[in-house]
Amino acid sequence: MLGVAVLALCVAASLAQSPSFGGCPTVPSQKTFDVNKYLGFWYEIYLFPTHFEKGKCTRAKYTLKDNGHVEVYNRDLQDGTEVRAIGDLYRPDAAHPANLKVRFAAGTPYGSYNVIDTDYGNYTLIYSCESILGVAHIEFAWILARNMTLEQSTTDRLMTELQGYGVDVTKFHKSDQVGCPQ
C-alpha cells in the first residue's frame, strides 16, 4: 500500500507543482454564489504554479451556456503566442452554490473549483484540493480580478483568509500582467 501511495504522489508531483503530504485542509466555500454576477472577464493576479499555466497575460472569460453550465475560456501568452483552453463549469449541488466543478477536455473527470470569496466586481479567491489516498494532496489556488491589477490590501486579506484555513500561501506566485493586451 505504501508503494502505491508513493507512486501516486510521484505522479501527482509530475502533474502539478503544489503537492504536499497529509490530507486536504478544510476550506469552506462562500455560502452564497450568483453565477450571473460571476460571468465575464477575470485576470489572473496570483496562482499556485501548475504545469498547464506557463505564460503571461493569463485571463479567463466565463459565459453562460444554454444548458446552464458555464463556458470557461482561458488564455495566456507563451513566447508571444496565444494558448487557449476551453472548459465546462457547473454547480453539481444547489445546497453548496460556490462548490463548482470544471474540466477542460471531454471525457476527463471534473475537478473542484471552489469559490472561497468574491465580491463579483473586483476579486475572487478560488481554491481546490484533491487528496491522494489520504497521504498527500494537490492544491490549486488563484486570486483573480476584474482588472489587470488588484490593490495589495485586498490580495493580503485574501491570502490571510486562505492561510487561516491552514493553506500554505507561500506557494502563491504573482502573475505577469505587464504590457498585456486587453
Side-chain angles (χ1 to χ4, degrees):
M1 180 65 170
L2 181 59
V4 171
V6 170
L7 176 62
L9 182 59
C10 290
V11 169
S14 71
L15 297 175
Q17 286 81 36
S18 295
S20 300
F21 286 104
C24 290
T26 301
V27 180
S29 296
Q30 187 165 291
K31 298 250 185 267
T32 61
F33 183 73
D34 183 340
V35 72
N36 291 308
K37 290 181 181 179
Y38 202 75
L39 301 174
F41 284 102
W42 289 97
Y43 296 90
E44 184 180 84
I45 306 300
Y46 280 90
L47 79 154
F48 281 16
T50 68
H51 73 285
F52 51 85
E53 287 186 44
K54 299 177 184 165
K56 63 178 275 180
C57 304
T58 304
R59 71 177 182 196
K61 182 180 180 189
Y62 296 79
T63 307
L64 192 62
K65 299 187 329 185
D66 291 339
N67 66 359
H69 287 213
V70 173
E71 178 185 89
V72 182
Y73 178 90
N74 284 345
R75 77 105 168 115
D76 67 2
L77 299 178
Q78 296 180 18
D79 298 321
T81 301
E82 184 175 293
V83 177
R84 291 169 280 190
I86 298 174
D88 180 67
L89 179 80
Y90 79 102
R91 181 182 63 199
D93 183 355
H96 303 283
N99 290 0
L100 308 172
K101 296 287 187 180
V102 68
R103 73 175 177 190
F104 286 90
T108 61
Y110 282 86
S112 296
Y113 181 108
N114 300 316
V115 179
I116 308 308
D117 191 350
T118 187
D119 71 350
Y120 304 103
N122 295 298
Y123 67 85
T124 188
L125 173 62
I126 303 149
Y127 178 76
S128 172
C129 186
E130 301 296 332
S131 180
I132 304 168
L133 303 174
V135 298
H137 62 273
I138 300 292
E139 294 177 296
F140 299 93
W142 292 268
I143 295 174
L144 308 179
R146 291 293 189 180
N147 297 301
M148 290 184 196
T149 60
L150 186 63
E151 288 187 28
Q152 190 61 47
S153 60
T154 302
T155 298
D156 291 345
R157 182 183 62 75
L158 294 171
M159 287 188 185
T160 299
E161 179 179 358
L162 204 53
Q163 186 176 32
Y165 300 122
V167 176
D168 180 3
V169 297
T170 64
K171 294 178 182 179
F172 271 119
H173 287 117
K174 188 165 180 55
S175 296
D176 185 358
Q177 294 288 347
V178 175
C180 296
Q182 292 286 333

